Amino acid sequence: MEGVNMKKCPLCQNDNQCTVSKEPETCWCMTESFPKELLTSALLKDSCICKKCVDDYKKK
């Protein structure tokens, strides 16, 4: 995808630590529960959300 850095969280722009493309079975995101609102957001269609943003959202 042109102009999208797949390693950056679309919310905070920090490294999202996603390893699905290299090691799908060991990536943190494979066992995480993602709030539906985060997954359906237009901002998030091109890259993975980082764990900190997921955790922060769940604390709201």
Side-chain angles (χ1 to χ4, degrees):
M1 282 175 223
E2 191 173 322
V4 175
N5 184 336
M6 299 304 286
K7 293 184 179 270
K8 288 196 175 201
C9 173
L11 297 176
C12 68
Q13 300 302 306
N14 288 321
D15 189 341
N16 59 26
Q17 301 293 316
C18 185
T19 62
V20 169
S21 64
K22 297 176 196 166
E23 308 167 44
E25 65 282 344
T26 61
C27 187
W28 70 270
C29 68
M30 297 307 287
T31 58
E32 184 66 46
S33 172
F34 289 87
K36 182 180 177 182
E37 297 81 9
L38 284 180
L39 295 177
T40 57
S41 171
L43 288 173
L44 307 176
K45 291 184 178 180
D46 296 331
S47 185
C48 295
I49 308 161
C50 73
K51 180 143 180 59
K52 181 181 182 316
C53 285
V54 173
D55 291 343
D56 288 350
Y57 185 86
K58 288 179 177 180
K59 289 178 187 175
K60 291 181 182 179

